[in-house]
Amino acid sequence: MKIFSKEQIYEGDRLTQEKQQISSTDLMERAGSQIFNWLHTRMQGAQVPIHVFCGIGNNGGDGLVVARHLITHGYNVNTYVVNCSDKRSKDFLINYDRIKNVTKKWPTLLSCEDDFSDINIEEKDIIVDAVFGIGLNRPVDAWVKSLFNFFRSTKAFTLSIDLPSGLPSDRGVEDPEAVVNAGYTLSFQTPKMVFFLPETAKYTVQWEVLDIGIDPEYLFTTQTEANLIGKNEVLPIYKPREKYSHKGTFGHGLIVGGSYGKIGAVTLASRSVLAVGAGKVTAYTPKCGYIPLQTAFPEAMVITDADEEKLTKIDFSIDPTVIGIGVGLGTDSKTITAFENFLKANKKPLVIDADGLNILAKKKALLKLLPELTILTPHPKELERLIGSWKDDFDKLNKTKAFAKKYKVIVVIKGANTITVFNDKLYVNATGNPGLATAGTGDVLTGIITGLIAQGYDALQATLFGVYLHGKSADILIEEFGYQSIIASNVIDGISLAYLDLFKQPEQPQVEQEG
């Protein structure tokens, strides 16, 4: 699914009006009607008090459309206009006149000096937030912040239209009190990038996209900076297996890593290489890893360093398809030297994680030795060591894009919505949950991506598909384990379930047979 920018949304609106020969008011009616339909389907006429707060721009116009339809369908509606300026939009004024024609109880004008003592909102009520939309380009004033704090104090369910009011669509939040905390956001035609970033996602607990009929050709042909990667996006990537294929068909992954006390990381990554479908896997570890690996994971072949506790030389005679390096590696000076010498000689595709990233951060000159399309999989702190600090999540993405372009690599920013950065594109993963916040799951991801490249997926395909499968495994497992009890080994076991889910058909509603 494409994630359109603010400018692209405006252009889509304009083009839709032109091609479909409709006015902006007609498009607003369409959008507001979709919000009403969403509410009506769920409420079925229930007389829960609904408080619709409208700004005086186009988002407020959407709110007035919603309120009008709720009123004409017999709902218990209170409509308020946040009247902080005399600069009302044309479509707001049209819909303000329309709502006055269907109700004896006209919208209450809030002068932006009034207190909230006359507004009675209880916890069981519903607030519809239509104060500001994506076009807000000025600071929120003190009175409006007080209004938003009032929303929070009521503890009522808050539904935001298109975007929580006060939340910028293209930059970080400077003042948390100036943003509505939505329980649910109904976004027009496309999700917003802020729904997926650590600092801004918290402003809406859930979100959903509503189709308001933007021109299909525009939606199809327009290239976006960001895309949301779900099942529909990864299904075309999947490579089916031929009947007469064999283990040699699916490549040979090499996992390089481990140090005394951290052999488990290599075991997890190696298991993941085979669990995702690679034909063979070899682990290269210090000598202390030989018995644990051969015992815990007999399917792996093992090569060891001469040193008992750490890697001092990375030297092997096998010809792997791809190499995953860094898990449990440590940063001993001899290991750093071995890593540097390895990079100077290596020509194979690479997936680098953990201490491999930390070594690169310590000796940034080594970044120039990476093969093109090397995949780096940092968590936030590892990313900061590579690119430096950032002022907000948008700054982080911009710096990561610049880093990825400079070194011609793919960067996987691990998190609640893992984001893959390649050139100027952002790929936001739709799977995963807090169950993955446990030791070893990053090692599993390294193995999954390594195993996919071994099978012939290109670097970007392997990354997007691997991140998806990793998250989907955890999504399936929480039904059995819950968030707290998933461990990394479970995620490996769930890879098969994630594959099967790709081809699982949605359950069809049961039709009662007449007797």
Side-chain angles (χ1 to χ4, degrees):
M1 179 186 292
K2 295 176 180 178
I3 301 173
F4 286 80
S5 68
K6 177 171 69 174
E7 292 74 21
Q8 288 174 323
I9 292 168
Y10 286 145
E11 176 60 15
D13 287 352
R14 185 199 66 77
L15 194 66
T16 299
Q17 293 166 43
E18 180 182 296
K19 293 183 72 172
Q20 298 179 10
Q21 297 185 338
I22 61 173
S23 67
S24 57
T25 310
D26 295 331
L27 189 60
M28 182 175 287
E29 182 70 23
R30 191 186 290 178
S33 296
Q34 286 288 70
I35 298 282
F36 163 74
N37 290 337
W38 188 92
L39 278 165
H40 187 45
T41 298
R42 286 153 182 79
M43 295 185 68
Q44 294 292 304
Q47 291 300 296
V48 177
I50 303 172
H51 307 269
V52 184
F53 287 83
C54 304
I56 53 177
N58 286 347
N59 196 249
D62 294 331
L64 291 174
V65 175
V66 175
R68 171 163 47 85
H69 284 292
L70 288 168
I71 290 166
T72 57
H73 283 77
Y75 284 94
N76 181 4
V77 183
N78 297 291
T79 310
Y80 306 88
V81 174
V82 179
N83 194 35
C84 291
S85 168
D86 57 1
K87 296 180 180 179
R88 297 170 174 82
S89 76
K90 172 180 69 74
D91 291 325
F92 169 86
L93 290 171
I94 290 171
N95 280 293
Y96 187 62
D97 286 337
R98 286 177 177 177
I99 195 172
K100 288 196 297 184
N101 291 331
V102 301
T103 179
K104 296 176 182 177
K105 186 179 178 182
W106 285 10
T108 301
L109 296 178
L110 301 175
S111 72
C112 299
E113 294 176 359
D114 303 334
D115 61 26
F116 310 113
S117 58
D118 294 335
I119 301 177
N120 180 31
I121 301 178
E122 298 183 7
E123 188 172 347
K124 63 179 177 58
D125 295 357
I126 295 170
I127 293 172
V128 175
D129 158 39
V131 181
F132 301 126
I134 60 172
L136 181 66
N137 55 11
R138 56 181 171 78
V140 173
D141 66 33
W143 185 89
V144 176
K145 284 198 287 186
S146 298
L147 177 66
F148 295 169
N149 281 323
F150 172 66
F151 290 173
R152 282 183 274 271
S153 71
T154 67
K155 299 182 180 178
F157 175 79
T158 300
L159 175 72
S160 286
I161 292 180
D162 203 30
L163 194 70
S165 288
L167 180 63
S169 64
D170 52 6
R171 63 185 187 278
V173 172
E174 295 180 2
D175 183 357
E177 288 194 345
V179 182
V180 167
N181 291 84
Y184 217 104
T185 299
L186 296 177
S187 183
F188 296 138
Q189 208 65 57
T190 174
K192 309 298 188 286
M193 192 64 193
V194 286
F195 297 166
F196 308 106
L197 302 177
E199 295 171 353
T200 52
K202 61 188 175 184
Y203 293 103
T204 183
V205 177
Q206 291 180 279
W207 58 269
E208 189 173 326
V209 170
L210 295 183
D211 183 358
I212 61 169
I214 297 299
D215 179 61
E217 184 181 5
Y218 177 79
L219 296 176
F220 182 75
T221 59
T222 302
Q223 294 298 309
T224 57
E225 176 193 31
N227 288 273
L228 184 63
I229 306 299
K231 182 187 289 191
N232 291 337
E233 288 71 29
V234 300
L235 262 173
I237 295 174
Y238 173 78
K239 294 179 182 289
R241 295 202 159 191
E242 298 292 338
K243 179 177 180 180
Y244 293 102
S245 53
H246 52 83
K247 67 182 180 183
T249 309
F250 303 115
H252 185 176
L254 173 63
I255 296 295
V256 178
S259 54
Y260 186 79
K262 296 180 180 177
I263 300 302
V266 180
T267 307
L268 290 168
S270 300
R271 282 188 59 201
S272 303
V273 171
L274 291 192
V276 83
K280 296 183 286 185
V281 66
T282 295
Y284 190 103
T285 73
K287 273 190 177 178
C288 63
Y290 183 77
I291 292 176
L293 269 160
Q294 296 276 263
T295 305
F297 185 40
E299 293 88 348
M301 297 173 282
V302 182
I303 303 171
T304 66
D305 190 282
D307 193 279
E308 184 71 27
E309 297 187 351
K310 57 186 174 292
L311 290 182
T312 60
K313 190 175 183 181
I314 303 172
D315 186 22
F316 47 84
S317 58
I318 64 171
D319 184 29
T321 314
V322 55
I323 301 170
I325 187 167
V327 295
L329 188 63
T331 54
D332 184 271
S333 60
K334 291 183 178 179
T335 302
I336 292 174
T337 300
F339 183 72
E340 182 173 356
N341 291 335
F342 162 76
L343 290 181
K344 288 177 179 176
N346 174 64
K347 303 297 181 187
K348 297 292 183 179
L350 290 181
V351 182
I352 304 179
D353 187 29
D355 284 325
L357 299 172
N358 292 329
I359 294 171
L360 291 174
K362 283 186 175 185
K363 301 189 71 172
K364 288 193 167 62
L366 299 181
L367 289 162
K368 296 178 181 178
L369 300 176
L370 301 180
E372 284 192 22
L373 301 182
T374 291
I375 299 160
L376 311 180
T377 60
H379 59 54
K381 203 64 188 175
E382 290 165 344
L383 180 67
E384 185 178 0
R385 295 182 192 120
L386 286 169
I387 70 169
S389 58
W390 49 80
K391 65 179 181 180
D392 59 38
D393 285 332
F394 285 93
D395 186 39
K396 173 180 68 178
L397 292 175
N398 288 333
K399 287 184 173 180
T400 304
K401 283 193 293 183
F403 176 89
K405 285 185 74 173
K406 180 178 180 179
Y407 296 107
K408 299 179 181 178
V409 297
I410 297 170
V411 181
V412 179
I413 306 175
K414 293 186 288 196
N417 282 106
T418 292
I419 299 176
T420 297
V421 181
F422 176 54
N423 287 333
D424 286 321
K425 298 281 282 185
L426 306 171
Y427 302 89
V428 182
N429 185 51
T431 62
N433 61 71
L436 288 169
T438 185
T441 55
D443 306 322
V444 172
L445 179 61
T446 298
I448 289 174
I449 296 172
T450 302
L452 288 169
I453 294 174
Q455 295 171 73
Y457 292 89
D458 69 38
L460 184 61
Q461 289 176 335
T463 304
L464 300 182
F465 196 17
V467 170
Y468 173 87
L469 290 171
H470 183 255
K472 190 64 183 182
S473 169
D475 288 345
I476 294 168
L477 291 170
I478 58 167
E479 298 178 15
E480 181 179 353
F481 293 96
Y483 294 130
Q484 292 82 1
S485 300
I486 292 176
I487 61 174
S489 296
N490 300 142
V491 178
I492 300 172
D493 295 337
I495 294 170
S496 59
L497 302 177
Y499 267 127
L500 292 172
D501 181 79
L502 283 174
F503 305 100
K504 186 177 179 181
Q505 297 299 315
E507 290 187 13
Q508 299 299 316
Q510 297 295 315
V511 179
E512 291 186 11
Q513 301 293 326
E514 293 185 7

